[in-house]
Amino acid sequence: QELDLSFNLLTSGDVCDLIDALEENTTLESLNLMNNQLDDSAMLHIGKLLPQMKGLRYLNITANRFGDHGADALFRGLLRNYQLTRLEMPRGFDAQNKINYLVALNQGGRRLVKADDILVPLGIWPLVLERVNMLSDKEMARSVRASVLFFLLREGTAMIDCK
């Protein structure tokens, strides 16, 4: 369930091979790639396959060599990944706020409103909204929690099964 490859001097080629092998893996929940030699090409590959990595909840990519192009690729992958709820990465990228927002939406239950052809029973919504509200300030700033609540209410109304 957890794979810690931090401080291994892995190259982008190594990580691309690893991500290919893990693409359909649903049991890996935590992947730590901190302090390796990952550049934009590794992030492009991770971003491309991130939507297929359904079990991954935590990813650490701090202390690597990728730039804004790699962060943009990660953002594009997160647009279609609803499971990743914790991401540790360097700060200062152009896409940083968008990435943080998508991770916050995932923490709040975005998969409920983005799952294909699933109607969420009306009785579930109070639990979902309470879950978002209970996330601590450390996990999610108050303004972000409000944005997540708004997103869930706006997007979720089409997914409510009132029967």
Side-chain angles (χ1 to χ4, degrees):
Q1 287 193 6
E2 181 177 331
L3 183 57
D4 185 347
L5 296 172
S6 59
F7 299 93
N8 275 295
L9 300 175
L10 297 176
T11 65
S12 290
D14 296 331
V15 170
C16 289
D17 291 341
L18 171 70
I19 296 300
D20 284 340
L22 295 173
E23 178 182 1
E24 299 293 327
N25 184 307
T26 58
T27 59
L28 182 68
E29 294 180 2
S30 175
L31 180 58
N32 187 348
L33 298 171
M34 180 175 92
N35 205 354
N36 283 289
Q37 298 177 8
L38 311 184
D39 59 18
D40 286 337
S41 65
M43 291 300 107
L44 289 168
H45 202 68
I46 290 172
K48 178 182 170 187
L49 298 181
L50 196 56
Q52 285 79 39
M53 300 178 77
K54 305 270 187 232
L56 194 64
R57 305 283 189 268
Y58 170 78
L59 177 63
N60 185 342
I61 50 174
T62 57
N64 281 289
R65 299 182 305 152
F66 64 92
D68 282 322
H69 292 294
D72 288 339
L74 191 63
F75 167 72
R76 287 190 302 279
L78 277 169
L79 285 171
R80 294 174 290 127
N81 175 292
Y82 311 117
Q83 309 299 329
L84 193 70
T85 56
R86 188 164 168 230
L87 174 65
E88 293 185 37
M89 65 180 286
R91 304 244 180 254
F93 295 110
D94 293 340
Q96 190 78 47
N97 288 336
K98 297 185 290 187
I99 289 170
N100 291 344
Y101 183 65
L102 288 176
V103 171
L105 288 177
N106 288 353
Q107 288 173 347
R110 179 169 70 128
R111 67 182 167 265
L112 277 176
V113 297
K114 291 299 180 183
D116 295 331
D117 301 324
I118 294 177
L119 292 178
V120 179
L122 188 57
I124 297 290
W125 283 101
L127 298 172
V128 172
L129 299 176
E130 181 64 19
R131 177 180 167 199
V132 173
N133 195 42
M134 295 302 292
L135 291 172
S136 69
D137 286 335
K138 182 179 176 185
E139 294 174 89
M140 190 183 301
R142 185 179 306 227
S143 62
V144 175
R145 278 199 312 264
S147 294
V148 169
L149 285 170
F150 176 75
F151 172 85
L152 290 173
L153 290 171
R154 184 189 67 205
E155 297 293 320
T157 54
M159 303 300 288
I160 295 175
D161 181 9
C162 296
K163 296 178 184 176

